[in-house]
Amino acid sequence: MTLAAALLCGTSAVAAQTDLTIALQLEPPHLDPTSAAAGAIDSVLYSNVFEGLTRFMSDGTVVPGLAESWEISDDGLTYTFHLRDGVTFHDGTSMDGEDVKFSLDRARAEDSTNAQKALFGDIADVTVVDPLTVQVTLSQQNGSFLFNMAWGDAVIVAPESIDDIKTSPVGTGAFKYVQWVNGDRIDLVRNDAYWGDAPALEKATFKFISDPTAAFAAMMAQDIDAFAGFPAPENLPMFEADPRFQVLVGSTEGETILSTNNKMPPLDDVRVREAIAHAIDRQAIIDGAMFGLGTPIGTHFAPHNPDYVDLTGMSNYDPERAKALLAEAGHPDGFTTTLKLPPPSYARRGGEIIAAQLRAVGIQTEITNLEWAQWLEEVFRGKDFGLTIVSHTEPMDIGIYARPEYYFQYDNPAFQDLMKTLNATTDSAKRSELLAEAQTIISRDYVNGYLFQLAFPTVADARLEGLWQNAPTQATDLTGVRWID
């Protein structure tokens, strides 16, 4: 059709755009979501490349994924999953019950490197009934089991892809991995053999821009089409005033905390940890580091959750109280500890503010800025730190406090028993009571410095639709994204 004919017919001669370049601040350390705690992996791959038996939607609800349906036995111990027929991995091989068994058994194995191995702790057995039916037997009831199976750590992988999964991921999702140009970008292409609805996008590029100033420049110049988790909130009013752009500000599951090594003296003294809590002015951190974006928290729980308990009063800003607690703990002149900061803006900017607040009560911090891979190695795995700042973006993850080997090394048998009871409880009212008790215990023990719930600002071309506004899990789901005229 000629241009003139197109105009006469009232149709556009310009095809709708089908490619997208979207930026993120953090680059993944590798591409295996089942063997690392880095949420940056899920930011690129969740739903796009890898899928689980269940999955999260943008509103946080859990819906069928690779399992189209399931039945739960009367005693709550057996889940029979019915898999979708005709699902293939990106290499053309079929996805069936053997792959599900392999994935779940691998995640719960004794030598598993899965960062969320506890999600699979109640699985006693996985049996393949037939290629499209898998039976999972639990050792005890777990009211969160279907929720747990929606995590990025629980995606289904093929045995033959494991050797190269960190650099060449093979999943079942709507997009296939093409290449990773380290330090720059990851390219995806539409999976034309996808079992579900075909995405509108044919190509997608994830661009990694860590510097907030560079992020602003790239977005303003429209070198990128969108930036999910825009790292410079002070610039948002400029984008809001520019008709070329749209600004989406949503909530996340990200509890941003001053993580504390509970086994490192003098941080192993609850009075010292309480002193730190009272030395922190949360609102000053939110205003100074996040330009007002963020909701104060007093425990490790999302304020938008209906079971949230507001415990901010237990760690209110009271520097004189902090000094008195330090003196009571035998540190009238304070002490010195390390403050190791990962790359995100909330950590780097917030760290400087927190360091000044702690210095005002006598606590000196030796600040070290770490790249993400370094942080994972030194802090998360090596536990070589006094203090650090990180946002825990996993959904409903208060259970990490029941793991003494977890990086902040909190060991409270009473809390561990409470989590066991919670996992075995299916009654919603009773679960709410237990969750309130759990929030109170870790707040009262001042396990960490609870700062704020991370907001999620996204800046995008005004012609884009389908981007997630909220982040119920750390993901940049492109399956429903498209350009509009």
Side-chain angles (χ1 to χ4, degrees), residues 251-260 280 282 285-286 289-290 293-303 312 315 341-342 344-351 354 388-394 397 400-401 407-408 448-456 474:
S251 62
T252 75
E253 291 295 319
E255 290 83 21
T256 306
I257 62 176
L258 179 66
S259 295
T260 307
I280 293 171
R282 295 184 185 90
I285 299 166
I286 294 170
M290 305 303 296
L293 289 183
T295 304
I297 56 173
T299 189
H300 197 110
F301 215 77
T312 51
S315 50
L341 304 173
S345 301
Y346 65 76
R348 297 282 173 87
R349 294 175 173 182
I354 287 176
T388 187
I389 301 174
V390 69
S391 189
H392 282 253
T393 54
E394 298 84 2
D397 60 348
I400 59 179
Y401 288 78
Y407 78 102
F408 43 69
N448 294 306
Y450 302 106
L451 305 177
F452 58 88
Q453 197 72 13
L454 190 68
F456 191 72
Q474 193 158 334

Side-chain angles (χ1 to χ4, degrees), residues 21-22 207 209 214 217-226 244-245:
T21 299
I22 186 166
K207 189 84 171 173
I209 305 175
M219 195 72 237
M220 190 59 73
Q222 294 187 292
D223 294 334
I224 54 178
D225 301 314
R244 295 179 300 164
F245 303 106

Side-chain angles (χ1 to χ4, degrees), residues 471-483:
T473 190
Q474 193 158 334
T476 316
D477 187 341
L478 301 181
T479 58
V481 176
R482 69 184 186 98
W483 292 91

Side-chain angles (χ1 to χ4, degrees), residues 167 227 427 445:
T167 54
F227 202 121
D427 179 76
D445 283 350

Side-chain angles (χ1 to χ4, degrees), residues 77-316:
L77 296 178
T78 302
Y79 288 70
T80 302
F81 291 99
H82 301 284
L83 307 181
R84 298 184 187 275
D85 194 5
V87 177
T88 59
F89 286 103
H90 297 151
D91 60 4
T93 59
S94 296
M95 191 288 299
D96 59 22
E98 293 295 341
D99 297 302
V100 173
K101 177 176 172 58
F102 169 79
S103 300
L104 297 183
D105 284 348
R106 175 174 173 260
R108 68 192 185 94
E110 187 174 340
D111 61 350
S112 169
T113 58
N114 194 297
Q116 302 298 336
K117 188 177 177 180
L119 295 174
F120 313 91
D122 288 335
I123 297 178
D125 181 69
V126 182
T127 301
V128 179
V129 178
D130 60 52
L132 295 179
T133 310
V134 177
Q135 198 170 78
V136 180
T137 303
L138 306 183
S139 56
Q140 63 177 352
Q141 288 188 358
N142 187 328
S144 301
F145 184 65
L146 294 173
F147 182 91
N148 293 348
M149 292 300 99
W151 283 45
D153 307 80
V155 295
I156 303 305
V157 295
E160 54 269 26
S161 70
I162 294 303
D163 289 346
D164 299 318
I165 191 172
K166 291 188 175 183
T167 54
S168 298
V170 176
T172 59
F175 294 92
K176 297 190 291 187
Y177 167 82
V178 176
Q179 67 171 342
W180 180 9
V181 180
N182 206 279
D184 181 29
R185 71 184 191 275
I186 289 175
D187 295 321
L188 307 180
V189 66
R190 184 166 64 192
N191 173 20
D192 290 330
Y194 184 54
W195 60 265
D197 294 335
L201 298 176
E202 294 180 1
K203 297 179 181 178
T205 294
F206 284 89
K207 189 84 171 173
F208 306 111
I209 305 175
S210 60
D211 179 67
T213 303
F216 171 74
M219 195 72 237
M220 190 59 73
Q222 294 187 292
D223 294 334
I224 54 178
D225 301 314
F227 202 121
F230 188 73
E234 66 273 22
N235 296 141
L236 293 180
M238 297 180 66
F239 290 110
E240 289 172 332
D242 191 325
R244 295 179 300 164
F245 303 106
Q246 58 180 310
V247 176
L248 308 173
V249 179
S251 62
T252 75
E253 291 295 319
E255 290 83 21
T256 306
I257 62 176
L258 179 66
S259 295
T260 307
N261 191 334
N262 281 236
K263 282 195 174 180
M264 177 180 284
L267 303 171
D268 56 347
D269 188 327
V270 67
R271 295 170 297 182
V272 171
R273 298 197 301 271
E274 183 179 356
I276 290 173
H278 288 299
I280 293 171
D281 183 345
R282 295 184 185 90
Q283 196 58 51
I285 299 166
I286 294 170
D287 292 341
M290 305 303 296
F291 291 82
L293 289 183
T295 304
I297 56 173
T299 189
H300 197 110
F301 215 77
H304 55 259
N305 191 296
D307 289 321
Y308 174 74
V309 180
D310 184 358
L311 298 168
T312 51
M314 291 185 66
S315 50
N316 61 306

